[in-house]
Amino acid sequence: QGKEVPYDPEQLRKISEHPCYSDKACHAFGRCHIPVAPKCNIQCNYCIRDFDCVNESRPGVTSKVLSPEESLDLVRRVVKDYPYVKVVGIAGPGEPLANPETFEALRLVHEEFPHLIMCISTNGLVLPESIEELAKYDVGNVTVTLNAIDPAIGEKIYSWVEYNGKKYHGREAAELLLSQQLKGIEMAVAKKMFVKINTVYIPGVNDEHIPEIAKKVGEMGAFTFNVIPLIPQYKFAGITPPTPKEKREMQDRCAPYIKQMRHCARCRADAIGKLGQDVQSCVYREQGK
Ligand code: SF4
Ligand code: SF4
C-alpha cells in the first residue's frame, strides 16, 4: 500500500476510537456531528443543495443549522449522556470550510473538551488556507472528497467553483479545485492529520479513473479511501448508480493502493451516536430544537 506516515502512538490510540477510521471502533464508539455550516463554495453536478452535502451524507434529510454556541451546548449534553461519543465532526449541511462558524465551533468545543477527536469533511477548495487554523484546534481527521485527478474528468463533475470572490467554470474551475485539493491533502499529511478520501463512484464519468485516484492519494500518505456510490440527482439524475457488488469490486481494485473504508453509513450532518444507531432525534427533542 501507499506511503507510511510516522504517526505518534497517542495519535494512533485516538484514531482507534474513531468509528469511521477504525472498523472495530464503529461498534464501541460514536460521533457527534454539529451542523454549523450551511453555505457551499462549489457546485457538484450531483447535488441539489436542498439537503445535506451529499459528499458525506445521503440526501432526503435537511439538517437544522446551529450556531457555534448552540453546538457547544449540544456537545456538552451529548458527552454527558452518551459518553461513548469520542468524536466531534463538522460535515455540513454545506461545505464546512466555507463557513466561519465552523472555525468558531471548533475553537469553542476544543477549548472545553480537548480530549475529544476533532474531525471535518471538505470538498478541499480552501483546505490549504485552512490547515493552520484546523491544526490550532487539534483537528486530527480530515475527509476530502476527491472525484477526479484529471481536470478533463473533473470538469464533467463540477459546474462551478467560487474562490476569493470569483466564480470559475469548466476546465478552469476543475483545475483550480484539483490543485487546491492536492495541495490541501499534502499539507494535512505533513501535519500528520489522518486524511480520508471520499470518492463518488459515477458510472460513465469517473469509474475507470477511480483506481488511479486511489493510487495517487495512497502515494501521498492518505490514510483511508471511501468509495461512495452516486445518488443520481440534479445533472446526473439519469445515471444508473453502481450496485453494491460493483462498489465492492471497485473497492477491491483500489485496495492494493490504500486501505478501504467499507462501513460508511452516509450520515446526516447532524448525526449523533454510533454508526447506524443514531440518537440525534432524542437529543434534539430533549433540547427542544
Ligand atoms: Fe453539494 Fe457538498 Fe458538492 Fe457543495 S460540496 S455542491 S454541498 S455535494
Ligand atoms: Fe463516518 Fe461515513 Fe458517517 Fe462520515 S458519513 S461520519 S465517514 S460513517
Side-chain angles (χ1 to χ4, degrees):
Q1 286 194 341
K3 180 174 133 185
E4 288 277 329
V5 177
Y7 297 109
D8 54 58
E10 176 54 15
Q11 279 180 296
L12 291 166
R13 188 201 58 75
K14 260 190 160 181
I15 196 92
S16 70
E17 296 184 344
H18 194 312
C20 314
Y21 284 71
S22 154
D23 41 8
K24 290 185 198 80
C26 73
H27 304 292
F29 300 107
R31 42 73 185 112
C32 172
H33 280 170
I34 48 177
V36 288
K39 294 196 294 283
C40 187
N41 49 8
I42 70 174
Q43 177 63 60
C44 305
N45 287 338
Y46 47 72
C47 176
I48 41 171
R49 302 301 188 97
D50 292 351
F51 304 117
D52 286 5
C53 172
V54 291
N55 283 340
E56 184 71 0
S57 35
R58 60 183 173 271
V61 282
T62 313
S63 299
K64 49 196 86 50
V65 174
L66 300 184
S67 70
E69 292 72 22
E70 287 172 322
S71 304
L72 176 62
D73 265 356
L74 177 77
V75 174
R76 284 185 183 132
R77 291 169 46 90
V78 168
V79 295
K80 187 166 137 288
D81 294 346
Y82 305 93
Y84 58 79
V85 168
K86 303 287 184 189
V87 179
V88 170
I90 302 181
E95 158 57 23
L97 302 183
N99 294 266
E101 292 80 6
T102 292
F103 298 95
E104 179 59 4
L106 290 170
R107 186 183 72 76
L108 291 173
V109 173
H110 181 57
E111 224 166 68
E112 193 163 321
F113 301 101
H115 65 284
L116 290 176
I117 299 173
M118 305 295 276
C119 181
I120 58 133
S121 67
T122 176
N123 59 37
L125 181 64
V126 293
L127 184 56
E129 41 272 74
S130 308
I131 286 282
E132 278 309 322
E133 205 173 353
L134 295 175
K136 199 157 103 194
Y137 309 133
D138 207 16
V139 173
N141 297 73
V142 174
T143 295
V144 183
T145 300
L146 179 66
N147 295 323
I149 52 166
D150 176 352
I153 296 174
E155 76 174 313
K156 296 184 190 150
I157 302 174
Y158 304 101
S159 291
W160 51 259
V161 314
E162 193 170 334
Y163 186 66
N164 284 341
K166 191 170 167 217
K167 227 173 193 174
Y168 299 81
H169 294 85
R171 179 67 63 99
E172 209 188 0
E175 279 170 0
L176 173 62
L177 178 63
L178 176 62
S179 90
Q180 288 289 99
Q181 289 169 323
L182 294 178
K183 196 156 130 202
I185 293 167
E186 194 183 322
M187 291 170 78
V189 170
K191 289 265 183 217
K192 293 199 208 165
M193 294 171 177
F194 291 98
V195 175
K196 172 160 75 66
I197 303 296
N198 281 351
T199 296
V200 182
Y201 179 166
I202 313 166
V205 178
N206 72 347
D207 46 349
E208 279 315 307
H209 181 58
I210 292 176
E212 281 170 59
I213 305 175
K215 182 163 187 282
K216 169 84 179 163
V217 296
E219 285 166 1
M220 292 177 77
F223 186 76
T224 183
F225 194 76
N226 185 16
V227 175
I228 303 184
L230 173 76
I231 295 169
Q233 51 180 11
Y234 187 44
K235 292 192 183 166
F236 289 163
I239 296 180
T240 306
T243 62
K245 181 169 170 279
E246 284 168 333
K247 176 184 157 185
R248 273 194 309 277
E249 284 166 1
M250 183 61 79
Q251 289 171 322
D252 293 341
R253 284 174 68 191
C254 296
Y257 307 118
I258 181 167
K259 188 164 113 75
Q260 301 296 297
M261 176 182 184
R262 295 184 190 251
H263 63 286
C264 179
R266 302 199 86 167
C267 312
R268 311 162 46 142
D270 61 359
I272 302 171
K274 293 179 192 166
L275 302 187
Q277 299 174 39
D278 288 311
V279 295
Q280 70 265 3
S281 49
C282 317
V283 176
Y284 280 97
R285 199 179 321 117
E286 282 166 32
Q287 210 185 17
K289 296 268 170 211

